[in-house]
mmCIF file of all heavy atoms in Angstrom:
data_model
loop_
_atom_site.group_PDB
_atom_site.id
_atom_site.type_symbol
_atom_site.label_atom_id
_atom_site.label_comp_id
_atom_site.label_asym_id
_atom_site.label_seq_id
_atom_site.Cartn_x
_atom_site.Cartn_y
_atom_site.Cartn_z
ATOM 1 N N TRP U 511 9.129 -3.064 2.624
ATOM 2 C CA TRP U 511 8.217 -3.985 3.357
ATOM 3 C C TRP U 511 8.454 -5.464 3.032
ATOM 4 O O TRP U 511 7.714 -6.346 3.492
ATOM 5 C CB TRP U 511 6.806 -3.660 2.985
ATOM 6 C CG TRP U 511 6.290 -2.348 3.653
ATOM 7 C CD1 TRP U 511 6.284 -1.076 3.029
ATOM 8 C CD2 TRP U 511 5.835 -2.189 5.019
ATOM 9 N NE1 TRP U 511 5.873 -0.152 3.982
ATOM 10 C CE2 TRP U 511 5.540 -0.758 5.125
ATOM 11 C CE3 TRP U 511 5.605 -3.034 6.029
ATOM 12 C CZ2 TRP U 511 4.974 -0.240 6.299
ATOM 13 C CZ3 TRP U 511 5.050 -2.460 7.205
ATOM 14 C CH2 TRP U 511 4.861 -1.094 7.318
ATOM 15 N N PHE U 512 9.432 -5.772 2.179
ATOM 16 C CA PHE U 512 9.497 -7.167 1.686
ATOM 17 C C PHE U 512 9.754 -8.167 2.878
ATOM 18 O O PHE U 512 9.081 -9.182 2.945
ATOM 19 C CB PHE U 512 10.637 -7.256 0.670
ATOM 20 C CG PHE U 512 10.977 -8.696 0.342
ATOM 21 C CD1 PHE U 512 10.061 -9.396 -0.544
ATOM 22 C CD2 PHE U 512 12.086 -9.326 0.726
ATOM 23 C CE1 PHE U 512 10.325 -10.694 -0.976
ATOM 24 C CE2 PHE U 512 12.389 -10.700 0.424
ATOM 25 C CZ PHE U 512 11.476 -11.325 -0.417
ATOM 26 N N LEU U 513 10.683 -7.881 3.743
ATOM 27 C CA LEU U 513 10.996 -8.789 4.810
ATOM 28 C C LEU U 513 9.791 -9.043 5.722
ATOM 29 O O LEU U 513 9.503 -10.167 6.050
ATOM 30 C CB LEU U 513 12.190 -8.309 5.616
ATOM 31 C CG LEU U 513 12.703 -9.196 6.715
ATOM 32 C CD1 LEU U 513 13.131 -10.574 6.121
ATOM 33 C CD2 LEU U 513 13.893 -8.548 7.483
ATOM 34 N N ILE U 514 9.136 -7.977 6.086
ATOM 35 C CA ILE U 514 7.969 -8.142 6.941
ATOM 36 C C ILE U 514 6.884 -8.917 6.247
ATOM 37 O O ILE U 514 6.250 -9.770 6.811
ATOM 38 C CB ILE U 514 7.518 -6.737 7.398
ATOM 39 C CG1 ILE U 514 8.505 -6.034 8.310
ATOM 40 C CG2 ILE U 514 6.119 -6.830 8.113
ATOM 41 C CD1 ILE U 514 8.174 -4.630 8.695
ATOM 42 N N ASP U 515 6.582 -8.570 4.993
ATOM 43 C CA ASP U 515 5.595 -9.322 4.259
ATOM 44 C C ASP U 515 5.955 -10.784 4.082
ATOM 45 O O ASP U 515 5.053 -11.653 4.115
ATOM 46 C CB ASP U 515 5.408 -8.675 2.865
ATOM 47 C CG ASP U 515 4.722 -7.229 3.003
ATOM 48 O OD1 ASP U 515 4.187 -6.985 4.077
ATOM 49 O OD2 ASP U 515 4.740 -6.517 1.948
ATOM 50 N N LEU U 516 7.230 -11.079 3.877
ATOM 51 C CA LEU U 516 7.612 -12.446 3.757
ATOM 52 C C LEU U 516 7.387 -13.236 5.052
ATOM 53 O O LEU U 516 6.898 -14.373 5.003
ATOM 54 C CB LEU U 516 9.129 -12.484 3.310
ATOM 55 C CG LEU U 516 9.694 -13.933 3.137
ATOM 56 C CD1 LEU U 516 8.978 -14.652 1.954
ATOM 57 C CD2 LEU U 516 11.194 -13.833 2.801
ATOM 58 N N LEU U 517 7.736 -12.654 6.160
ATOM 59 C CA LEU U 517 7.582 -13.330 7.418
ATOM 60 C C LEU U 517 6.087 -13.469 7.736
ATOM 61 O O LEU U 517 5.673 -14.320 8.434
ATOM 62 C CB LEU U 517 8.281 -12.602 8.545
ATOM 63 C CG LEU U 517 9.814 -12.548 8.466
ATOM 64 C CD1 LEU U 517 10.413 -11.703 9.600
ATOM 65 C CD2 LEU U 517 10.384 -13.992 8.575
ATOM 66 N N SER U 518 5.359 -12.534 7.185
ATOM 67 C CA SER U 518 3.855 -12.613 7.514
ATOM 68 C C SER U 518 3.140 -13.681 6.677
ATOM 69 O O SER U 518 2.118 -14.196 7.184
ATOM 70 C CB SER U 518 3.199 -11.238 7.121
ATOM 71 O OG SER U 518 3.816 -10.209 7.884
ATOM 72 N N CYS U 519 3.654 -14.066 5.579
ATOM 73 C CA CYS U 519 2.942 -15.051 4.767
ATOM 74 C C CYS U 519 3.426 -16.467 4.874
ATOM 75 O O CYS U 519 2.867 -17.345 4.227
ATOM 76 C CB CYS U 519 3.054 -14.620 3.208
ATOM 77 S SG CYS U 519 4.619 -14.944 2.527
ATOM 78 N N LEU U 520 4.470 -16.678 5.805
ATOM 79 C CA LEU U 520 4.951 -18.074 5.971
ATOM 80 C C LEU U 520 3.798 -18.864 6.680
ATOM 81 O O LEU U 520 3.116 -18.333 7.554
ATOM 82 C CB LEU U 520 6.204 -18.087 6.808
ATOM 83 C CG LEU U 520 7.423 -17.495 6.148
ATOM 84 C CD1 LEU U 520 8.582 -17.520 7.138
ATOM 85 C CD2 LEU U 520 7.753 -18.222 4.874
ATOM 86 N N PRO U 521 3.572 -20.121 6.272
ATOM 87 C CA PRO U 521 2.439 -20.959 6.788
ATOM 88 C C PRO U 521 2.763 -21.528 8.187
ATOM 89 O O PRO U 521 2.988 -22.753 8.341
ATOM 90 C CB PRO U 521 2.244 -21.947 5.737
ATOM 91 C CG PRO U 521 3.591 -22.194 5.106
ATOM 92 C CD PRO U 521 4.234 -20.809 5.170
ATOM 93 N N TYR U 522 2.839 -20.705 9.219
ATOM 94 C CA TYR U 522 3.153 -21.125 10.564
ATOM 95 C C TYR U 522 2.148 -22.199 11.055
ATOM 96 O O TYR U 522 2.466 -23.113 11.725
ATOM 97 C CB TYR U 522 3.263 -19.982 11.551
ATOM 98 C CG TYR U 522 4.274 -18.929 11.174
ATOM 99 C CD1 TYR U 522 3.847 -17.675 10.705
ATOM 100 C CD2 TYR U 522 5.636 -19.223 11.181
ATOM 101 C CE1 TYR U 522 4.859 -16.714 10.334
ATOM 102 C CE2 TYR U 522 6.595 -18.299 10.820
ATOM 103 C CZ TYR U 522 6.126 -17.018 10.415
ATOM 104 O OH TYR U 522 7.084 -16.080 10.062
ATOM 105 N N ASP U 523 0.878 -21.988 10.786
ATOM 106 C CA ASP U 523 -0.168 -22.821 11.281
ATOM 107 C C ASP U 523 -0.030 -24.228 10.706
ATOM 108 O O ASP U 523 -0.277 -25.232 11.410
ATOM 109 C CB ASP U 523 -1.525 -22.243 10.979
ATOM 110 C CG ASP U 523 -1.729 -20.973 11.617
ATOM 111 O OD1 ASP U 523 -1.563 -20.908 12.855
ATOM 112 O OD2 ASP U 523 -2.163 -19.952 10.973
ATOM 113 N N VAL U 524 0.331 -24.336 9.367
ATOM 114 C CA VAL U 524 0.569 -25.595 8.865
ATOM 115 C C VAL U 524 1.723 -26.374 9.504
ATOM 116 O O VAL U 524 1.691 -27.585 9.803
ATOM 117 C CB VAL U 524 0.868 -25.517 7.320
ATOM 118 C CG1 VAL U 524 1.173 -26.766 6.696
ATOM 119 C CG2 VAL U 524 -0.327 -24.906 6.620
ATOM 120 N N PHE U 525 2.862 -25.631 9.773
ATOM 121 C CA PHE U 525 3.900 -26.179 10.552
ATOM 122 C C PHE U 525 3.506 -26.706 11.865
ATOM 123 O O PHE U 525 3.878 -27.820 12.335
ATOM 124 C CB PHE U 525 5.071 -25.209 10.670
ATOM 125 C CG PHE U 525 5.640 -24.715 9.391
ATOM 126 C CD1 PHE U 525 6.197 -23.466 9.233
ATOM 127 C CD2 PHE U 525 5.607 -25.553 8.251
ATOM 128 C CE1 PHE U 525 6.709 -23.019 8.006
ATOM 129 C CE2 PHE U 525 6.106 -25.073 7.024
ATOM 130 C CZ PHE U 525 6.689 -23.897 6.947
ATOM 131 N N ASN U 526 2.728 -25.918 12.530
ATOM 132 C CA ASN U 526 2.281 -26.308 13.902
ATOM 133 C C ASN U 526 1.354 -27.518 13.926
ATOM 134 O O ASN U 526 1.296 -28.313 14.834
ATOM 135 C CB ASN U 526 1.615 -25.200 14.621
ATOM 136 C CG ASN U 526 2.513 -24.025 15.025
ATOM 137 O OD1 ASN U 526 3.722 -24.203 15.073
ATOM 138 N ND2 ASN U 526 2.003 -22.812 15.213
ATOM 139 N N ALA U 527 0.579 -27.569 12.831
ATOM 140 C CA ALA U 527 -0.355 -28.768 12.776
ATOM 141 C C ALA U 527 0.228 -30.056 12.683
ATOM 142 O O ALA U 527 -0.206 -31.123 13.118
ATOM 143 C CB ALA U 527 -1.331 -28.490 11.581
ATOM 144 N N PHE U 528 1.460 -30.115 12.148
ATOM 145 C CA PHE U 528 2.192 -31.365 12.061
ATOM 146 C C PHE U 528 3.418 -31.526 12.925
ATOM 147 O O PHE U 528 4.142 -32.451 12.780
ATOM 148 C CB PHE U 528 2.722 -31.454 10.530
ATOM 149 C CG PHE U 528 1.691 -31.526 9.468
ATOM 150 C CD1 PHE U 528 1.318 -30.442 8.801
ATOM 151 C CD2 PHE U 528 0.988 -32.654 9.208
ATOM 152 C CE1 PHE U 528 0.293 -30.500 7.827
ATOM 153 C CE2 PHE U 528 0.000 -32.768 8.270
ATOM 154 C CZ PHE U 528 -0.393 -31.691 7.553
ATOM 155 N N ASP U 529 3.432 -30.567 13.865
ATOM 156 C CA ASP U 529 4.539 -30.660 14.873
ATOM 157 C C ASP U 529 3.902 -30.909 16.190
ATOM 158 O O ASP U 529 2.958 -30.161 16.634
ATOM 159 C CB ASP U 529 5.377 -29.343 14.873
ATOM 160 C CG ASP U 529 6.427 -29.398 15.850
ATOM 161 O OD1 ASP U 529 7.500 -30.029 15.471
ATOM 162 O OD2 ASP U 529 6.412 -28.921 16.952
ATOM 163 N N HIS U 530 4.316 -31.916 16.945
ATOM 164 C CA HIS U 530 3.690 -32.230 18.240
ATOM 165 C C HIS U 530 4.675 -31.977 19.428
ATOM 166 O O HIS U 530 4.372 -32.331 20.503
ATOM 167 C CB HIS U 530 3.266 -33.737 18.229
ATOM 168 C CG HIS U 530 2.341 -34.036 17.130
ATOM 169 N ND1 HIS U 530 0.960 -33.747 17.212
ATOM 170 C CD2 HIS U 530 2.498 -34.674 15.911
ATOM 171 C CE1 HIS U 530 0.381 -34.172 16.044
ATOM 172 N NE2 HIS U 530 1.274 -34.753 15.290
ATOM 173 N N ASP U 531 5.642 -31.287 19.112
ATOM 174 C CA ASP U 531 6.587 -30.939 20.143
ATOM 175 C C ASP U 531 6.332 -29.486 20.703
ATOM 176 O O ASP U 531 6.699 -28.538 20.020
ATOM 177 C CB ASP U 531 8.086 -31.043 19.712
ATOM 178 C CG ASP U 531 9.069 -30.823 20.867
ATOM 179 O OD1 ASP U 531 8.606 -30.679 22.000
ATOM 180 O OD2 ASP U 531 10.302 -30.798 20.525
ATOM 181 N N GLU U 532 5.720 -29.384 21.847
ATOM 182 C CA GLU U 532 5.285 -28.047 22.275
ATOM 183 C C GLU U 532 6.410 -27.180 22.613
ATOM 184 O O GLU U 532 6.321 -25.922 22.596
ATOM 185 C CB GLU U 532 4.338 -28.262 23.547
ATOM 186 C CG GLU U 532 3.123 -28.950 23.315
ATOM 187 C CD GLU U 532 2.133 -28.112 22.554
ATOM 188 O OE1 GLU U 532 2.325 -26.880 22.471
ATOM 189 O OE2 GLU U 532 1.150 -28.649 21.913
ATOM 190 N N ASP U 533 7.534 -27.802 23.002
ATOM 191 C CA ASP U 533 8.719 -27.009 23.417
ATOM 192 C C ASP U 533 9.789 -26.849 22.324
ATOM 193 O O ASP U 533 10.869 -26.275 22.555
ATOM 194 C CB ASP U 533 9.314 -27.568 24.662
ATOM 195 C CG ASP U 533 8.417 -27.626 25.843
ATOM 196 O OD1 ASP U 533 7.554 -26.656 25.887
ATOM 197 O OD2 ASP U 533 8.443 -28.574 26.617
ATOM 198 N N GLY U 534 9.442 -27.423 21.130
ATOM 199 C CA GLY U 534 10.469 -27.412 20.057
ATOM 200 C C GLY U 534 10.210 -26.383 19.069
ATOM 201 O O GLY U 534 9.907 -25.164 19.330
ATOM 202 N N ILE U 535 10.323 -26.784 17.704
ATOM 203 C CA ILE U 535 10.200 -25.838 16.582
ATOM 204 C C ILE U 535 8.855 -25.234 16.544
ATOM 205 O O ILE U 535 8.603 -24.156 16.049
ATOM 206 C CB ILE U 535 10.609 -26.545 15.273
ATOM 207 C CG1 ILE U 535 10.757 -25.528 14.238
ATOM 208 C CG2 ILE U 535 9.591 -27.589 14.923
ATOM 209 C CD1 ILE U 535 11.933 -24.571 14.427
ATOM 210 N N GLY U 536 7.828 -26.064 17.001
ATOM 211 C CA GLY U 536 6.404 -25.579 16.949
ATOM 212 C C GLY U 536 6.211 -24.327 17.749
ATOM 213 O O GLY U 536 5.524 -23.390 17.315
ATOM 214 N N SER U 537 6.739 -24.297 18.927
ATOM 215 C CA SER U 537 6.592 -23.128 19.814
ATOM 216 C C SER U 537 7.312 -21.910 19.203
ATOM 217 O O SER U 537 6.805 -20.804 19.329
ATOM 218 C CB SER U 537 7.159 -23.399 21.216
ATOM 219 O OG SER U 537 8.538 -23.722 21.151
ATOM 220 N N LEU U 538 8.420 -22.172 18.448
ATOM 221 C CA LEU U 538 9.145 -21.056 17.799
ATOM 222 C C LEU U 538 8.261 -20.484 16.647
ATOM 223 O O LEU U 538 8.209 -19.215 16.542
ATOM 224 C CB LEU U 538 10.443 -21.527 17.224
ATOM 225 C CG LEU U 538 11.260 -20.540 16.451
ATOM 226 C CD1 LEU U 538 11.657 -19.367 17.252
ATOM 227 C CD2 LEU U 538 12.462 -21.275 15.813
ATOM 228 N N PHE U 539 7.669 -21.362 15.937
ATOM 229 C CA PHE U 539 6.788 -20.887 14.837
ATOM 230 C C PHE U 539 5.587 -20.146 15.451
ATOM 231 O O PHE U 539 5.161 -19.135 14.861
ATOM 232 C CB PHE U 539 6.194 -22.113 13.961
ATOM 233 C CG PHE U 539 7.304 -22.585 13.030
ATOM 234 C CD1 PHE U 539 7.478 -23.942 12.861
ATOM 235 C CD2 PHE U 539 8.063 -21.754 12.289
ATOM 236 C CE1 PHE U 539 8.439 -24.388 11.974
ATOM 237 C CE2 PHE U 539 9.018 -22.184 11.396
ATOM 238 C CZ PHE U 539 9.120 -23.565 11.192
ATOM 239 N N SER U 540 5.071 -20.592 16.554
ATOM 240 C CA SER U 540 3.900 -19.867 17.146
ATOM 241 C C SER U 540 4.393 -18.481 17.552
ATOM 242 O O SER U 540 3.544 -17.486 17.435
ATOM 243 C CB SER U 540 3.431 -20.643 18.364
ATOM 244 O OG SER U 540 2.910 -21.880 18.035
ATOM 245 N N ALA U 541 5.541 -18.319 18.065
ATOM 246 C CA ALA U 541 6.044 -17.020 18.455
ATOM 247 C C ALA U 541 6.274 -16.136 17.292
ATOM 248 O O ALA U 541 6.023 -14.953 17.304
ATOM 249 C CB ALA U 541 7.346 -17.158 19.300
ATOM 250 N N LEU U 542 6.805 -16.740 16.213
ATOM 251 C CA LEU U 542 7.120 -15.906 15.013
ATOM 252 C C LEU U 542 5.750 -15.411 14.355
ATOM 253 O O LEU U 542 5.879 -14.421 13.543
ATOM 254 C CB LEU U 542 7.836 -16.768 13.926
ATOM 255 C CG LEU U 542 9.358 -17.027 14.312
ATOM 256 C CD1 LEU U 542 9.976 -17.913 13.267
ATOM 257 C CD2 LEU U 542 10.058 -15.641 14.394
ATOM 258 N N LYS U 543 4.611 -16.028 14.620
ATOM 259 C CA LYS U 543 3.372 -15.509 14.004
ATOM 260 C C LYS U 543 3.086 -14.082 14.440
ATOM 261 O O LYS U 543 2.391 -13.331 13.746
ATOM 262 C CB LYS U 543 2.189 -16.410 14.432
ATOM 263 C CG LYS U 543 2.280 -17.786 13.704
ATOM 264 C CD LYS U 543 0.932 -18.453 13.738
ATOM 265 C CE LYS U 543 0.501 -18.727 15.084
ATOM 266 N NZ LYS U 543 -0.875 -19.537 15.136
#
Side-chain angles (χ1 to χ4, degrees):
W511 289 97
F512 172 73
L513 183 60
I514 293 176
D515 290 347
L516 180 63
L517 293 176
S518 300
C519 75
L520 293 179
Y522 301 110
D523 297 307
V524 176
F525 298 151
N526 289 340
F528 296 100
D529 183 82
H530 301 284
D531 185 6
E532 295 290 342
D533 299 325
I535 191 67
S537 60
L538 176 61
F539 283 136
S540 296
L542 285 176
K543 288 199 298 185

